[in-house]
mmCIF file of all heavy atoms in Angstrom:
data_model
loop_
_atom_site.group_PDB
_atom_site.id
_atom_site.type_symbol
_atom_site.label_atom_id
_atom_site.label_comp_id
_atom_site.label_asym_id
_atom_site.label_seq_id
_atom_site.Cartn_x
_atom_site.Cartn_y
_atom_site.Cartn_z
ATOM 1 N N GLY A 1 0.780 -1.224 0.000
ATOM 2 C CA GLY A 1 0.000 0.000 0.000
ATOM 3 C C GLY A 1 0.818 1.283 0.000
ATOM 4 O O GLY A 1 0.247 2.380 0.017
ATOM 5 N N LYS A 2 2.137 1.173 -0.019
ATOM 6 C CA LYS A 2 2.994 2.356 -0.002
ATOM 7 C C LYS A 2 3.852 2.417 -1.263
ATOM 8 O O LYS A 2 4.020 1.435 -1.973
ATOM 9 C CB LYS A 2 3.894 2.350 1.236
ATOM 10 C CG LYS A 2 3.118 2.474 2.533
ATOM 11 C CD LYS A 2 4.040 2.632 3.699
ATOM 12 C CE LYS A 2 3.267 2.797 4.998
ATOM 13 N NZ LYS A 2 4.169 2.967 6.142
ATOM 14 N N THR A 3 4.448 3.572 -1.513
ATOM 15 C CA THR A 3 5.340 3.778 -2.646
ATOM 16 C C THR A 3 6.674 3.072 -2.386
ATOM 17 O O THR A 3 7.162 3.065 -1.256
ATOM 18 C CB THR A 3 5.586 5.289 -2.844
ATOM 19 O OG1 THR A 3 4.327 5.928 -3.037
ATOM 20 C CG2 THR A 3 6.474 5.557 -4.039
ATOM 21 N N ALA A 4 7.258 2.518 -3.438
ATOM 22 C CA ALA A 4 8.561 1.854 -3.318
ATOM 23 C C ALA A 4 9.640 2.877 -2.973
ATOM 24 O O ALA A 4 9.604 4.016 -3.434
ATOM 25 C CB ALA A 4 8.911 1.139 -4.616
ATOM 26 N N ARG A 5 10.596 2.437 -2.180
ATOM 27 C CA ARG A 5 11.724 3.278 -1.767
ATOM 28 C C ARG A 5 13.002 2.702 -2.371
ATOM 29 O O ARG A 5 13.278 1.509 -2.242
ATOM 30 C CB ARG A 5 11.812 3.241 -0.243
ATOM 31 C CG ARG A 5 13.029 3.901 0.327
ATOM 32 C CD ARG A 5 13.042 3.764 1.843
ATOM 33 N NE ARG A 5 14.384 4.012 2.348
ATOM 34 C CZ ARG A 5 14.777 3.707 3.561
ATOM 35 N NH1 ARG A 5 13.957 3.144 4.412
ATOM 36 N NH2 ARG A 5 16.012 3.961 3.932
ATOM 37 N N LYS A 6 13.792 3.538 -3.051
ATOM 38 C CA LYS A 6 15.054 3.079 -3.631
ATOM 39 C C LYS A 6 16.104 2.962 -2.533
ATOM 40 O O LYS A 6 16.211 3.830 -1.666
ATOM 41 C CB LYS A 6 15.543 4.031 -4.716
ATOM 42 C CG LYS A 6 16.673 3.454 -5.540
ATOM 43 C CD LYS A 6 16.914 4.287 -6.770
ATOM 44 C CE LYS A 6 17.870 3.577 -7.697
ATOM 45 N NZ LYS A 6 18.071 4.343 -8.927
ATOM 46 N N LEU A 7 16.865 1.880 -2.563
ATOM 47 C CA LEU A 7 17.902 1.615 -1.570
ATOM 48 C C LEU A 7 19.278 1.576 -2.226
ATOM 49 O O LEU A 7 19.418 1.070 -3.340
ATOM 50 C CB LEU A 7 17.644 0.267 -0.888
ATOM 51 C CG LEU A 7 16.309 0.096 -0.177
ATOM 52 C CD1 LEU A 7 16.157 -1.332 0.318
ATOM 53 C CD2 LEU A 7 16.195 1.078 0.965
ATOM 54 N N VAL A 8 20.266 2.111 -1.523
ATOM 55 C CA VAL A 8 21.660 2.063 -1.969
ATOM 56 C C VAL A 8 22.531 1.668 -0.779
ATOM 57 O O VAL A 8 22.082 1.699 0.371
ATOM 58 C CB VAL A 8 22.122 3.421 -2.551
ATOM 59 C CG1 VAL A 8 21.343 3.775 -3.808
ATOM 60 C CG2 VAL A 8 22.002 4.528 -1.527
ATOM 61 N N ALA A 9 23.786 1.342 -1.061
ATOM 62 C CA ALA A 9 24.715 0.940 -0.007
ATOM 63 C C ALA A 9 24.707 1.949 1.144
ATOM 64 O O ALA A 9 24.743 3.151 0.922
ATOM 65 C CB ALA A 9 26.122 0.796 -0.571
ATOM 66 N N GLY A 10 24.616 1.426 2.361
ATOM 67 C CA GLY A 10 24.586 2.257 3.556
ATOM 68 C C GLY A 10 23.187 2.478 4.109
ATOM 69 O O GLY A 10 23.032 2.874 5.260
ATOM 70 N N ASP A 11 22.147 2.219 3.299
ATOM 71 C CA ASP A 11 20.778 2.376 3.784
ATOM 72 C C ASP A 11 20.413 1.256 4.749
ATOM 73 O O ASP A 11 20.913 0.125 4.642
ATOM 74 C CB ASP A 11 19.774 2.366 2.622
ATOM 75 C CG ASP A 11 19.779 3.653 1.820
ATOM 76 O OD1 ASP A 11 20.341 4.652 2.302
ATOM 77 O OD2 ASP A 11 19.214 3.645 0.710
ATOM 78 N N THR A 12 19.531 1.577 5.677
ATOM 79 C CA THR A 12 19.008 0.614 6.640
ATOM 80 C C THR A 12 17.492 0.737 6.646
ATOM 81 O O THR A 12 16.955 1.840 6.616
ATOM 82 C CB THR A 12 19.540 0.913 8.058
ATOM 83 O OG1 THR A 12 20.964 0.848 8.039
ATOM 84 C CG2 THR A 12 19.008 -0.071 9.067
ATOM 85 N N VAL A 13 16.815 -0.408 6.691
ATOM 86 C CA VAL A 13 15.358 -0.434 6.768
ATOM 87 C C VAL A 13 14.972 -1.330 7.936
ATOM 88 O O VAL A 13 15.514 -2.427 8.089
ATOM 89 C CB VAL A 13 14.734 -1.008 5.470
ATOM 90 C CG1 VAL A 13 13.219 -1.089 5.588
ATOM 91 C CG2 VAL A 13 15.130 -0.182 4.264
ATOM 92 N N VAL A 14 14.041 -0.871 8.760
ATOM 93 C CA VAL A 14 13.499 -1.682 9.838
ATOM 94 C C VAL A 14 12.023 -1.911 9.540
ATOM 95 O O VAL A 14 11.272 -0.955 9.354
ATOM 96 C CB VAL A 14 13.655 -1.001 11.212
ATOM 97 C CG1 VAL A 14 13.024 -1.857 12.305
ATOM 98 C CG2 VAL A 14 15.119 -0.724 11.516
ATOM 99 N N THR A 15 11.619 -3.172 9.464
ATOM 100 C CA THR A 15 10.236 -3.533 9.204
ATOM 101 C C THR A 15 9.672 -4.214 10.443
ATOM 102 O O THR A 15 10.259 -5.183 10.935
ATOM 103 C CB THR A 15 10.139 -4.507 8.005
ATOM 104 O OG1 THR A 15 10.788 -3.926 6.880
ATOM 105 C CG2 THR A 15 8.701 -4.796 7.655
ATOM 106 N N ASN A 16 8.573 -3.716 10.937
ATOM 107 C CA ASN A 16 7.953 -4.293 12.122
ATOM 108 C C ASN A 16 7.176 -5.563 11.798
ATOM 109 O O ASN A 16 6.792 -5.798 10.650
ATOM 110 C CB ASN A 16 7.025 -3.266 12.781
ATOM 111 C CG ASN A 16 7.807 -2.113 13.368
ATOM 112 O OD1 ASN A 16 8.826 -2.310 14.015
ATOM 113 N ND2 ASN A 16 7.340 -0.905 13.126
ATOM 114 N N LYS A 17 6.938 -6.352 12.801
ATOM 115 C CA LYS A 17 6.205 -7.607 12.671
ATOM 116 C C LYS A 17 4.855 -7.360 12.002
ATOM 117 O O LYS A 17 4.167 -6.383 12.310
ATOM 118 C CB LYS A 17 5.992 -8.223 14.051
ATOM 119 C CG LYS A 17 5.248 -9.530 14.031
ATOM 120 C CD LYS A 17 5.094 -10.084 15.426
ATOM 121 C CE LYS A 17 4.366 -11.408 15.384
ATOM 122 N NZ LYS A 17 4.217 -11.970 16.729
ATOM 123 N N GLY A 18 4.510 -8.249 11.074
ATOM 124 C CA GLY A 18 3.212 -8.187 10.424
ATOM 125 C C GLY A 18 3.106 -7.219 9.267
ATOM 126 O O GLY A 18 2.044 -7.087 8.673
ATOM 127 N N VAL A 19 4.185 -6.517 8.924
ATOM 128 C CA VAL A 19 4.160 -5.575 7.801
ATOM 129 C C VAL A 19 4.551 -6.332 6.532
ATOM 130 O O VAL A 19 5.691 -6.797 6.397
ATOM 131 C CB VAL A 19 5.107 -4.382 8.036
ATOM 132 C CG1 VAL A 19 5.152 -3.484 6.810
ATOM 133 C CG2 VAL A 19 4.683 -3.601 9.269
ATOM 134 N N LYS A 20 3.609 -6.484 5.623
ATOM 135 C CA LYS A 20 3.863 -7.194 4.365
ATOM 136 C C LYS A 20 4.711 -6.296 3.474
ATOM 137 O O LYS A 20 4.375 -5.133 3.235
ATOM 138 C CB LYS A 20 2.538 -7.527 3.695
ATOM 139 C CG LYS A 20 2.666 -8.432 2.498
ATOM 140 C CD LYS A 20 1.283 -8.829 2.002
ATOM 141 C CE LYS A 20 1.384 -9.720 0.797
ATOM 142 N NZ LYS A 20 0.039 -10.099 0.299
ATOM 143 N N HIS A 21 5.842 -6.816 3.003
ATOM 144 C CA HIS A 21 6.755 -6.023 2.180
ATOM 145 C C HIS A 21 7.561 -6.943 1.271
ATOM 146 O O HIS A 21 7.526 -8.155 1.414
ATOM 147 C CB HIS A 21 7.706 -5.225 3.070
ATOM 148 C CG HIS A 21 8.749 -6.074 3.740
ATOM 149 N ND1 HIS A 21 8.467 -6.817 4.865
ATOM 150 C CD2 HIS A 21 10.042 -6.326 3.429
ATOM 151 C CE1 HIS A 21 9.562 -7.477 5.224
ATOM 152 N NE2 HIS A 21 10.530 -7.194 4.364
ATOM 153 N N TRP A 22 8.282 -6.325 0.357
ATOM 154 C CA TRP A 22 9.244 -7.067 -0.470
ATOM 155 C C TRP A 22 10.445 -6.165 -0.693
ATOM 156 O O TRP A 22 10.391 -4.953 -0.525
ATOM 157 C CB TRP A 22 8.607 -7.499 -1.803
ATOM 158 C CG TRP A 22 8.276 -6.382 -2.742
ATOM 159 C CD1 TRP A 22 7.117 -5.670 -2.802
ATOM 160 C CD2 TRP A 22 9.127 -5.825 -3.751
ATOM 161 N NE1 TRP A 22 7.184 -4.711 -3.775
ATOM 162 C CE2 TRP A 22 8.419 -4.789 -4.378
ATOM 163 C CE3 TRP A 22 10.417 -6.092 -4.182
ATOM 164 C CZ2 TRP A 22 8.954 -4.034 -5.413
ATOM 165 C CZ3 TRP A 22 10.939 -5.328 -5.213
ATOM 166 C CH2 TRP A 22 10.209 -4.321 -5.816
ATOM 167 N N HIS A 23 11.563 -6.790 -1.065
ATOM 168 C CA HIS A 23 12.770 -6.043 -1.414
ATOM 169 C C HIS A 23 13.542 -6.831 -2.453
ATOM 170 O O HIS A 23 13.492 -8.061 -2.477
ATOM 171 C CB HIS A 23 13.641 -5.742 -0.185
ATOM 172 C CG HIS A 23 13.977 -6.929 0.648
ATOM 173 N ND1 HIS A 23 13.121 -7.419 1.618
ATOM 174 C CD2 HIS A 23 15.053 -7.726 0.659
ATOM 175 C CE1 HIS A 23 13.678 -8.476 2.191
ATOM 176 N NE2 HIS A 23 14.852 -8.683 1.623
ATOM 177 N N GLY A 24 14.224 -6.104 -3.347
ATOM 178 C CA GLY A 24 14.996 -6.750 -4.398
ATOM 179 C C GLY A 24 15.724 -5.725 -5.247
ATOM 180 O O GLY A 24 15.579 -4.513 -5.050
ATOM 181 N N ALA A 25 16.486 -6.203 -6.196
ATOM 182 C CA ALA A 25 17.328 -5.354 -7.047
ATOM 183 C C ALA A 25 16.506 -4.483 -7.989
ATOM 184 O O ALA A 25 15.386 -4.830 -8.361
ATOM 185 C CB ALA A 25 18.277 -6.226 -7.869
ATOM 186 N N THR A 26 17.092 -3.335 -8.373
ATOM 187 C CA THR A 26 16.502 -2.526 -9.429
ATOM 188 C C THR A 26 16.741 -3.244 -10.755
ATOM 189 O O THR A 26 17.528 -4.188 -10.836
ATOM 190 C CB THR A 26 17.124 -1.112 -9.481
ATOM 191 O OG1 THR A 26 18.512 -1.229 -9.792
ATOM 192 C CG2 THR A 26 16.931 -0.363 -8.176
#
């Protein structure tokens, strides 16, 4: 339900329990 966020080296993401998400390469 949210906009994708671009990630690069040095970024950190914290996802809480129960939050449906995905991550992968551009």
Side-chain angles (χ1 to χ4, degrees):
K2 295 187 178 181
T3 302
R5 172 182 162 194
K6 192 168 190 177
L7 302 174
V8 296
D11 286 345
T12 301
V13 177
V14 178
T15 305
N16 292 316
K17 180 179 181 179
V19 175
K20 189 174 179 181
H21 72 281
W22 68 271
H23 52 276
T26 63

